[in-house]
Amino acid sequence: MLLLISGSPHPQSANSRFLNGIGKLQPRPVRSTDYLADLPVFQPGRDTAPWPEPVLRWRSDVDQASALVFATPAYLHNIPGVLKNALDWLASSGELDSKPALVFTFTPRAPRGEKARQSLLWSLSALNVRVVAEEGFYQSDINFGNGGEILPGEEREILSEALLLL
């Protein structure tokens, strides 16, 4: 199962739409994490049993995934707090250890997203994620069909090739 992780807390966001389009480019089952905003704020002292249900769901989804695809917007040159909070909940449990991942930013236009992607890469490195490819994509360069699929073009080809690395 391929886990699609959006840095945006809104399930209808541009990043969630981008991830859904990516999911349609390959045959594996996919699961989206449209619930990350439901995670409580991470505090090390609260990282003990019994864990809240959203934390258990998040950890289980990551554990069951064979690979991950991250897509995030840039908030003040960084990743959104909801994504950082979700990653914090995995720091002590180890589900991300050695998981292969693709890391993308999906922002309105260049050069936005570069610093946010670097921030995400630093966090994923600390969690021992095996990032196999990373790239910035721009909303102005990708078109979607009526079914949410990414329409043919250079970006679709790049994404299709990246998925083969997982």
Side-chain angles (χ1 to χ4, degrees):
M1 182 260 299
L2 185 64
L3 189 61
L4 307 175
I5 303 169
S6 177
S8 176
H10 195 281
Q12 300 302 317
S13 72
N15 276 266
S16 296
R17 185 176 185 197
F18 178 58
L19 283 169
N20 289 334
I22 290 171
K24 293 174 186 291
L25 293 175
Q26 49 83 56
R28 280 180 281 199
V30 297
R31 183 171 296 154
S32 296
T33 57
D34 57 358
Y35 54 83
L36 295 185
D38 297 335
L39 290 168
V41 173
F42 178 78
Q43 299 171 45
R46 293 184 64 201
D47 193 8
T48 60
W51 288 275
E53 180 57 36
V55 172
L56 294 174
R57 179 179 179 196
W58 168 231
R59 287 178 172 176
S60 175
D61 282 352
V62 172
D63 188 53
Q64 292 175 23
S66 60
L68 315 160
V69 179
F70 290 87
T72 187
Y75 288 8
L76 299 173
H77 299 299
N78 214 321
I79 61 174
V82 68
L83 180 55
K84 177 64 168 82
N85 184 59
L87 294 174
D88 287 343
W89 276 108
L90 301 175
S92 67
S93 54
E95 290 87 0
L96 281 175
D97 189 44
S98 299
K99 291 269 184 180
L102 299 174
V103 175
F104 304 127
T105 46
F106 191 57
T107 57
R109 64 193 162 283
R112 289 183 59 185
E114 293 175 17
K115 292 178 182 177
R117 190 170 61 258
Q118 184 58 57
S119 177
L120 179 55
L121 290 168
W122 286 329
S123 292
L124 295 177
S125 175
L127 293 166
N128 200 33
V129 174
R130 190 169 50 86
V131 175
V132 298
E134 53 97 0
E135 185 62 59
F137 289 94
Y138 305 103
Q139 295 166 18
S140 58
D141 295 335
I142 295 181
N143 295 306
F144 296 91
N146 292 336
E149 72 279 6
I150 296 172
L151 294 177
E154 182 180 348
E155 287 77 13
R156 178 180 165 149
E157 289 179 31
I158 292 168
L159 290 165
S160 295
E161 290 297 317
L163 286 164
L164 295 175
L165 298 173
L166 295 176

